[in-house]
Each structure stands twice: as structure tokens, then as C-alpha cells.
Amino acid sequence: MKKFRLLLLAALTFGLYSCETNLPQDTNEDLQPTVALEKVAEGINNVTFKVTSTNAKEVKYMVVEDEAESPALDTILTEGTAVNLDENGSATVTAEGLDAETEYKVVAAAKNGSKRAGSNTLYITTKPQAALALSVEVVQVTHENMFFRVNAENAEKISYLVLYADKETP
């Protein structure tokens, strides 16, 4: 009986300590978030930038033409593109689908609980579309193979299609 009482007392003591619900939890929702932008590279139809944030549970960005009004923090957080930050609180982002030789601004917002923060405004200008030059030189033709050289200037991507002479060109 004495063993049973000791076992019961030990079980109750363990249960009380393990079921404690008033332990402080570190949610960090009281901390003010920060977010900053840094230009990495400008392309013809894209821009790459670095996003750095602290104390943020959510970070989003928007790219708007320079002449447009900067969006409000709530607009960025509801309509912006989400940023997946690494364990150090940063990410390198490439925004694509931009027009060549156009001025844009990039803005970001961070949220932590009810607290919000806006970034610096990053002004960018996409590069102009360069003139494309393409040439194809047949190097050697045999019964089984055809060797040719494609030279391209100012092209980001080259695709080609080889057809029999009796086929129509697509």
C-alpha cells in the first residue's frame, strides 16, 4: 500500500509539472519587424534584388512603374508577392515580365502580429532591348549528319528547328 501511495504521489507530481499551461511562450509578436531592399542586378525584362528582414512572420513586395503612386503597406501585404526568407532573414528575388528601358520602383512590407513595417524604395531602370543579330553557317553536310554553327548577338535564348526540304516552314 505504501508503494502504491508513493507511486500515486509521483504520478500526480509529474502530471502537474508536465501539464503546466502558463509557461511563457516566446512568440516574438511584440517585436517590431524590419525590411530592407538592395539592388543586385537589372536586366532587359527583369530586376534582381535582395530582401533582408528581421522579426517578420510575413514579407511581401510589389514592383510598380516609377510614375505610379507607391502602394500602402496594407496593399503590399494583401496584393504583393510573398518572399521566402532563408534562416538568416534574407532572400534574393528576381521580378520578371518587366518592360525594357522602363523605370520602376520596388517596395516591400513586413508583418509580425499586428505590427507592420515598410522598406526603403528601390528605384530601378531596366536595360534597353539590344538589336539582335543572328547568322547560321553550314559547316559540313554528309549523308547522315549536318553540322552547322549558329552565331547570335544580344540573344538570351536560341531555339532552332531542322526540317526536310520538302516540308513547309512553320
Side-chain angles (χ1 to χ4, degrees):
M1 185 77 156
K2 188 173 183 180
K3 280 185 175 181
F4 178 73
R5 283 187 209 166
L6 286 172
L7 186 59
L8 182 62
L9 182 62
L12 286 174
T13 305
F14 177 76
L16 288 175
Y17 282 111
S18 64
C19 293
E20 180 67 50
T21 58
N22 296 328
L23 295 174
Q25 295 181 1
D26 187 15
T27 60
N28 292 329
E29 288 192 7
D30 294 334
L31 299 174
Q32 179 66 36
T34 64
V35 61
L37 300 173
E38 179 183 340
K39 187 183 330 182
V40 174
E42 296 169 327
I44 297 169
N45 299 107
N46 60 50
V47 62
T48 302
F49 53 95
K50 183 176 181 180
V51 179
T52 306
S53 181
T54 59
N55 306 322
K57 301 232 184 266
E58 179 181 15
V59 177
K60 292 187 176 183
Y61 74 91
M62 291 181 81
V63 179
V64 296
E65 287 195 24
D66 187 31
E67 297 172 358
E69 184 177 331
S70 291
L73 291 181
D74 288 338
T75 303
I76 298 169
L77 290 168
T78 56
E79 298 175 20
T81 303
V83 177
N84 294 319
L85 300 171
D86 63 18
E87 60 276 356
N88 297 320
S90 66
T92 301
V93 177
T94 299
E96 299 190 21
L98 306 177
D99 294 330
E101 206 169 1
T102 305
E103 294 178 358
Y104 290 95
K105 57 186 166 188
V106 183
V107 290
K111 182 178 178 182
N112 185 21
S114 63
K115 298 186 181 198
R116 296 178 167 95
S119 70
N120 55 306
T121 301
L122 185 62
Y123 294 94
I124 57 141
T125 303
T126 51
K127 293 181 178 180
Q129 179 71 45
L132 297 177
L134 181 67
S135 66
V136 179
E137 174 188 352
V138 176
V139 177
Q140 182 182 10
V141 177
T142 67
H143 291 289
E144 296 175 357
N145 298 310
M146 179 173 96
F147 298 95
F148 58 93
R149 181 177 299 122
V150 177
N151 296 311
E153 293 181 31
N154 302 320
E156 291 181 13
K157 181 179 177 181
I158 300 172
S159 299
Y160 65 90
L161 177 65
V162 178
L163 298 174
Y164 289 108
D166 62 344
K167 300 286 183 181
E168 285 188 32
T169 304

